[in-house]
Amino acid sequence: MEGTVIGPGPYRATKLWNETIKLFRGGMPLKRHWANFRYFDCSFSGSEAVDYLHHLLRNNYNFGPEVTRYQTLQLLRKFLKAHVIEDVKGRHGTEDFEDNGQLYRFPTLSPLKSFPTRPLLRDCSDLPRLIRWDDYEELPQRENIAPQKSNVLTSDFWNKRHSVAIGDVHECKLIRRKEITAKEVDHIWKSMTVAQLQRVLGLSNLDGVLNPVHVKGKHIVHNVFSVNKSGIVVLENKAEDMPYWVISAMKCLANWPNGSDNKQTLYPGFERDVLRTVADYFQRLKEPLLTFHLYEVFVNILSLLHDQEVATQALQVSCLLLPPPNRRRLQLLMRLMAKVCQNPLLPPLNDSIATRTLMVQTFSHCVLGSVDEMDVDELLATKLVTFMMEHHNTIFQVPSNLRLQVDGHLSHLKRVQIKYAGSDTDFSASPAFCKQISRVESEESKVIGTQTPLQELLEGLIADEELPAKDKRKRLKQFQKSYPEIYQKRFPTEASRAAVIPEKAPRLKPHLMLLNLKKPFQPFQRSWSFRA
């Protein structure tokens, strides 16, 4: 029974636990066994359970052939403590499962784990969003750009991004983003990295998989740029690095037999003590290298391991989310494991276990684990660590497409933009998405988009108190000639026009002008002609 494939999604580890129980209970052969002069129906021995479950896990898509018999035994011990199985006397929890002829059976009801009741991320403030260029500042108006006039305006011209209204237009303004701060750069890296992780996992959202609150943009930026020539993270605070003696022991084992810094005589079994020293350091860490917060992310990546390229991309992105000290330790550990497994000059590190299996079993629990200590952690960690050890050279590379996307977005934010008064582009309310519309709707939007700024231009001319009355009448007359429909709509009657447009002062006749003079009128004296 291969079971169903548990794909990416929330609480994948819990689903795998429940799926394993169902397969084990549904397929484990049950028969009559004799013990202590009694027979027990529907029972099985410890060795039979190990044989069957080991075969089941190795042939299951969700676990794979990396599962060892010892790991299967450990899982059955967890089954006994969780009352998935019990001995034939009904005891469970305190007894230890053994790989021998001791008899066990299934209880009437097998408890399945319920999914954690975590609040889903419905608050938009928890989700990282890209910084848009709408958050701009306006530069002083350009003095070298004079007002422009135009008597003819086509709808196509208005569709251009930086269109200019007809008539006397206000000066254009340069619009640019404020200087991008380091905090904003971190936020952009965070939002684009989380978005790419969601895409590569094939999920509609990351609810129950990753809480963006636990993702630090500064960690991503550090992991991308603060590296040495080999791509290993370099820490600014040396106190966060591994102790010198641990690094020395790892170098000794990785470069065996030429890795010892000192000239001391190597005794038989020295390499085993060095491995024990390194393992002791990693096993005493407070949390796994992949952290508790990212546990569900890496468990979901396990479902992608059948596609090496996709799984590698997912690991490249997810490993950028690690704190820099964790990423550095993980990089050095994976390199050590790969070199030890590929070194033919290194003596066997265990008499009964192959070196590759020993390295995976020794460090898998140090790499992946949950805060709740899920019962399938060891099986999942073994599969993931095996893949990471085999592809560590590419896993810790920065995704080239992600870097290009971030660089392109930052370049766009730094680019200076131009906005004209009366333009139909509203930069303060740029839409977040595009929607396809019909040709009729498009033509209607052209008409509406053209009339709106013209109406605003007309109202601006009317309300301009600094403009002399003579100039205002001249420009309104020009507007009426070019756009009679809009003008007629604004001034349907002469009374409405007279209410807002100042009338021209009448010219006085010569005989009326003489009445206002204080001095008596003196006739104009004819001057002599200067012609010869």
Side-chain angles (χ1 to χ4, degrees), residues 267-470:
Y267 55 85
F270 178 80
E271 66 282 353
R272 298 188 180 188
D273 289 343
V274 174
L275 175 61
R276 193 175 298 111
T277 299
V278 176
D280 184 67
Y281 168 77
F282 282 97
Q283 290 171 356
R284 291 187 179 183
L285 295 176
K286 294 182 179 180
E287 68 173 348
L289 295 178
L290 298 181
T291 73
F292 292 137
H293 295 311
L294 299 177
Y295 172 77
E296 284 289 344
V297 173
F298 288 98
V299 169
N300 277 274
I301 294 177
L302 285 170
S303 62
L304 307 174
L305 295 187
H306 65 281
D307 191 331
Q308 178 180 334
E309 183 178 355
V310 176
T312 301
Q313 292 177 4
L315 287 171
Q316 285 178 340
V317 178
S318 56
C319 286
L320 288 177
L321 309 180
L322 296 172
N326 289 49
R327 181 178 171 90
R328 174 176 171 82
R329 292 187 182 96
L330 186 62
Q331 287 177 299
L332 295 176
L333 179 59
M334 291 295 112
R335 292 182 63 180
L336 169 66
M337 296 174 62
K339 287 186 175 182
V340 168
C341 295
Q342 298 169 1
N343 189 356
L345 301 178
L346 187 67
L349 299 175
N350 190 282
D351 296 332
S352 58
I353 304 177
T355 300
R356 183 175 183 273
T357 304
L358 176 65
M359 297 299 291
V360 173
Q361 289 185 0
T362 302
F363 296 106
S364 60
H365 188 66
C366 309
V367 175
L368 180 67
S370 63
V371 65
D372 301 325
E373 295 186 359
M374 294 294 298
D375 297 303
V376 293
D377 281 353
E378 188 172 354
L379 299 177
L380 300 178
T382 299
K383 187 175 182 180
L384 181 64
V385 171
T386 301
F387 184 88
M388 295 183 68
M389 181 182 65
E390 295 174 348
H391 305 90
H392 69 95
N393 288 328
T394 55
I395 286 175
F396 293 104
Q397 296 177 0
V398 179
S400 56
N401 57 342
L402 175 61
R403 176 175 286 187
L404 290 175
Q405 291 175 4
V406 175
D407 290 343
H409 188 72
L410 291 175
S411 299
H412 178 69
L413 293 178
K414 296 176 182 178
R415 188 181 302 124
V416 175
Q417 306 288 337
I418 301 177
K419 179 182 179 182
Y420 295 95
S423 172
D424 60 342
T425 304
D426 185 7
F427 297 102
S428 62
S430 299
F433 60 92
C434 297
K435 178 182 178 182
Q436 185 176 2
I437 60 176
S438 63
R439 183 179 298 274
V440 176
E441 293 174 331
S442 175
E443 295 298 329
E444 292 178 354
S445 64
K446 288 182 180 180
V447 176
I448 297 175
T450 304
Q451 291 182 353
T452 301
L454 290 175
Q455 293 173 355
E456 294 177 355
L457 178 62
L458 178 60
E459 295 295 335
L461 290 175
I462 297 173
D464 192 350
E465 298 179 355
E466 297 181 359
L467 190 66
K470 180 179 179 181

Side-chain angles (χ1 to χ4, degrees), residues 68-86:
T68 63
R69 186 176 182 86
Y70 177 76
Q71 291 174 333
T72 305
L73 176 60
Q74 292 295 100
L75 181 59
L76 285 168
R77 288 174 178 172
K78 294 178 180 179
F79 279 178
L80 183 60
K81 292 181 179 180
H83 202 193
V84 177
I85 59 177
E86 61 185 13

